[in-house]
Amino acid sequence: DVFESVLPLCRQHYAIIKEVFAFPDQVMSKFILNIYQLRINQFVATKLNDDSKDDMRYLKTLHYLYLSTMKLSSDMKEFIKDSNDDLLAKLTQNMFARHLATYIETELRCFDGICAGELKKFYDGKNHQKKQTERFQDLKRDMQAMISARTNINIVQIDKYGGETFLSEELAINWLQEAAAAWDRCSVLSKEADTPVNIIKIADLLLKYLLTDHCDYAVDLGIQAIPIADTKSPPQIYFFDVVQKTNTMVHLLEKTYNANIIPYVRTTSKYADCMQKKRFCMDSI
């Protein structure tokens, strides 16, 4: 790892440079410039190019390399005079500029792909073909029950899905962990002015998959599976299991928001918009 060797190398040569040259600081700056432009730049470019075909590997590598370069720049300040204080920052930005410019698009594409793939895998594992659910199912069922009671013709269609809730806490936790990792990268790789906006973009995808596509869908199916009142035998109401699991996931989401999102948007103009989007999804459920 090139980052582990640079600092000892500079300390060793700085001691020699101070004894040999009349203007050692100028020579040292040139020495560091060559290290960044040649050795580190080549190392970074090669690593990122090798991982460019896999979005997740690329993002993890970019995050690691950028953090490592920033830490190295901080450690190297002992060799840089005040007049060149921004030299290392400029070298770092030039090195990563192309990658940072497209970072958030890659992050969103990667997170979207992970969520979509895992959601499809979950339903495939249940042998369930996800369908468009009808709104106002409870009103429709009440009307069917009323017609059945007056005509003695059973027209109520109830699919209980074998008691399946179509909810997975494991899936929800995995998405929350993936989102937390994405927000961590976002706080490092985004420009300071863009960080709140990018944090919310990731949060919007999480809301879409966790609340709308997963929880809201399961609640709709659960409502359809509520049995019509029958005095002959006590019904099994799986809907309560759906409510319990949904409630657990909502609490996990709230904790994640408080820990990973609110700190970045609380003092910005995006805070109200962020809270309104979450509230809209919650109200729907």
Side-chain angles (χ1 to χ4, degrees), residues 71-84:
K71 182 180 183 304
L72 178 63
S73 297
S74 178
D75 294 339
M76 295 279 279
K77 285 184 179 179
E78 62 182 273
F79 309 113
I80 301 294
K81 293 301 179 182
D82 293 340
S83 58
N84 287 329

Side-chain angles (χ1 to χ4, degrees), residues 105-199:
E105 287 79 11
T106 307
E107 187 74 78
L108 294 172
R109 181 174 66 246
C110 182
F111 187 56
D112 184 66
I114 289 173
C115 292
E118 291 185 349
L119 191 62
K120 183 180 184 303
K121 184 178 179 181
F122 171 74
Y123 290 123
D124 287 346
K126 303 291 184 184
N127 293 318
H128 176 73
Q129 182 67 41
K130 197 174 181 185
K131 58 186 180 180
Q132 293 292 329
T133 57
E134 297 180 40
R135 294 295 177 175
F136 309 109
Q137 283 291 337
D138 47 351
L139 177 60
K140 178 182 175 182
R141 287 161 42 80
D142 289 343
M143 292 298 295
Q144 290 176 334
M146 182 179 67
I147 293 171
S148 297
R150 293 187 177 184
T151 62
N152 291 323
I153 301 175
N154 184 18
I155 64 170
V156 182
Q157 300 295 323
I158 297 177
D159 192 344
K160 296 182 179 180
Y161 302 103
E164 175 61 54
T165 63
F166 293 104
L167 287 170
S168 170
E169 292 179 29
E170 181 182 353
L171 183 63
I173 290 172
N174 187 53
W175 285 347
L176 292 170
Q177 290 174 340
E178 290 288 352
W183 288 317
D184 185 40
R185 289 190 292 266
C186 183
S187 66
V188 172
L189 299 173
S190 296
K191 293 180 180 179
E192 185 176 355
D194 296 336
T195 298
V197 176
N198 291 343
I199 290 282

Side-chain angles (χ1 to χ4, degrees), residues 17-25 27:
I17 288 171
K18 284 192 294 185
E19 295 184 9
V20 175
F21 294 96
F23 300 99
D25 292 332
V27 176

Side-chain angles (χ1 to χ4, degrees), residues 193 196-197 200 264-276:
V197 176
I200 292 174
Y264 291 103
V265 301
R266 180 185 288 115
T267 59
T268 72
S269 60
K270 301 297 180 181
Y271 177 74
D273 181 50
C274 178
M275 292 296 99
Q276 184 177 4

